[in-house]
Amino acid sequence: MPTLSVFADVPVAHKLEGSLLKAYRQDNDPSKIFLVYRVCMTDEGLPWVSLVVHKTRLQIAQDPSLVYEYLPGLGSKSFIQASLELLFGKHSPVIMENRAGGVHTVGESGSFRLGAQFLRTWHRGTHTVCIVSYQKESHGLIFQDMGFEVYEYCIWDPKQRRLDSNVLLSVVERAPSGCILVIGNPVDCRLTQSQWAKLMSTMKSKQIFPFLDIPCQGLSTGDLEEDAGVLQYFVSWGFEFFCSQCLSKNFGIYDESVGTLVVVALNNEQLLCVLSQLMSYAQALWLNPPARGSRIITTILCNPTLQEEWKLSLKAVVEKMMLIKEKVKEKLRLLGTPGSWDHITEQTGIHGYLGLSYQQVQYLIKKHVYIPKNSQINFTCINTNNIEYITQSISEAVFSTEHTEN
């Protein structure tokens, strides 16, 4: 008698990403280029790693006094403290008043998973989540899986080929009272001081709970304080909030998946209660966080010389990336490519939108230049070896569709 499988009716899951990479890998053309890597890339086509991380990794590996014991459920105290000071500054009111804390999570998605589980149980407002971000993230799926009603909004306007800061303001004005607002990488929102004040006031009056995302502090503008500066608005307005802090990209330790779920409460007593609940959830999810990545980060952040070296390496990456963007824009101009390409240099961070149509993207793929449908690429994938071919291909793509799209 045949055994009936428990898995007989399980279908293959819909792939969220990977088909483009698969097509690229199967392409045998020697000129093929992949512009969608998630991490910073070097001119040699390898993931960027800060040199100070290499040194620190070797130093830790050769330390005979190191004890390989499980980390505490929340993570090591020194790591959490260093992470908080990186975000807020050592003399921030939330740190001085001891009302900011954190949980060492398994990557960025771990922070959102942990935060969503807590809010599903303890949030007193509605179970509505509004997500405002520069690009499509996995956060929405996490909240949906936890039973939240999710609405997602993008601040990139593909028709105008620019960032629309008003999206965040309009979302907050229309959002239901007591909802949760997720802001992806707030440095991209670029509101004026008066606009931030208006936003804070509206959120306060509607009792909206902020869940902020700082995915790569230092890699947007090259300035650590500027990249996390928006947090100071929420602190000064007396908000309690969650913040997902990813520390893998800006240190170049992608395979370590180091993150922190940061909690800002109104006082220390409430903070301790929240952290105790989060620790119980974290223990059910992963019991103890992995240690090596956090050791590397803690060692660097707690040593002024190493920290300064790391900051300079971040600045160098951003300056090089800005130069690449300038070169791409200038080469497209010299090729007489129709349209304005100012939006390329107006965007911060390693990822940016080219502002191409679906037909133009398909043209590029036929030319073996692989980019996604929304034309958002990783500019660190462009270097002196491939910039001529890439810009020439973009120009050809625009020219080839100029008449059909007008």
Side-chain angles (χ1 to χ4, degrees), residues 71-87:
L71 290 182
L74 294 176
S76 72
K77 289 183 178 180
S78 55
F79 167 68
I80 296 298
Q81 187 65 26
S83 302
L84 293 174
E85 290 179 4
L86 183 66
L87 266 186

Side-chain angles (χ1 to χ4, degrees), residues 150-195:
V150 177
Y151 299 91
E152 298 185 67
Y153 308 89
C154 184
I155 61 173
W156 169 256
D157 184 340
K159 291 183 179 179
Q160 300 295 324
R161 298 207 293 190
R162 65 180 179 87
L163 293 170
D164 186 357
S165 302
N166 292 318
V167 169
L168 179 56
L169 291 169
S170 61
V171 167
V172 170
E173 287 173 2
R174 292 184 280 110
S177 296
C179 73
I180 298 161
L181 175 68
V182 177
I183 305 178
N185 205 7
V187 71
D188 290 325
C189 295
R190 300 188 195 174
L191 300 181
T192 64
Q193 200 163 359
S194 61
Q195 286 176 318

Side-chain angles (χ1 to χ4, degrees), residues 222-340:
D223 187 315
L224 287 160
E225 289 185 14
E226 185 176 346
D227 283 3
V230 172
L231 295 180
Q232 307 305 329
Y233 285 112
F234 289 93
V235 170
S236 64
W237 276 75
F239 277 94
E240 50 189 1
F241 58 88
F242 281 171
C243 177
S244 170
Q245 178 190 30
C246 181
L247 294 162
S248 297
K249 297 174 187 174
N250 49 0
F251 281 88
I253 49 175
Y254 318 102
D255 58 342
E256 303 290 349
S257 281
V258 187
T260 311
L261 175 61
V262 174
V263 183
V264 172
L266 298 182
N267 55 56
N268 178 253
E269 184 180 359
Q270 290 181 3
L271 173 66
L272 294 177
C273 291
V274 173
L275 290 177
S276 70
Q277 293 291 341
L278 288 172
M279 186 167 69
S280 68
Y281 295 139
Q283 286 180 330
L285 288 169
W286 50 71
L287 195 59
N288 302 91
R292 188 168 66 163
S294 65
R295 282 199 186 105
I296 294 170
I297 292 168
T298 306
T299 302
I300 294 170
L301 293 181
C302 292
N303 182 309
T305 303
L306 295 180
Q307 184 178 143
E308 186 58 30
E309 189 176 340
W310 170 65
K311 287 180 180 179
L312 290 174
S313 71
L314 284 179
K315 191 175 181 182
V317 168
V318 173
E319 287 176 350
K320 180 181 175 184
M321 177 178 57
M322 290 169 66
L323 183 61
I324 284 290
K325 290 180 179 180
E326 288 285 356
K327 286 182 176 179
V328 169
K329 184 175 79 170
E330 180 62 11
K331 286 183 181 294
L332 290 175
R333 186 189 70 79
L334 292 173
L335 288 167
T337 314
S340 169

Side-chain angles (χ1 to χ4, degrees), residues 9 59 77 84 128 148 182 207 237 252 281 364 374 384:
D9 298 324
Q59 175 189 328
K77 289 183 178 180
L84 293 174
T128 301
F148 289 91
V182 177
Q207 295 184 311
W237 276 75
Y281 295 139
L364 285 179
N374 64 4
T384 53

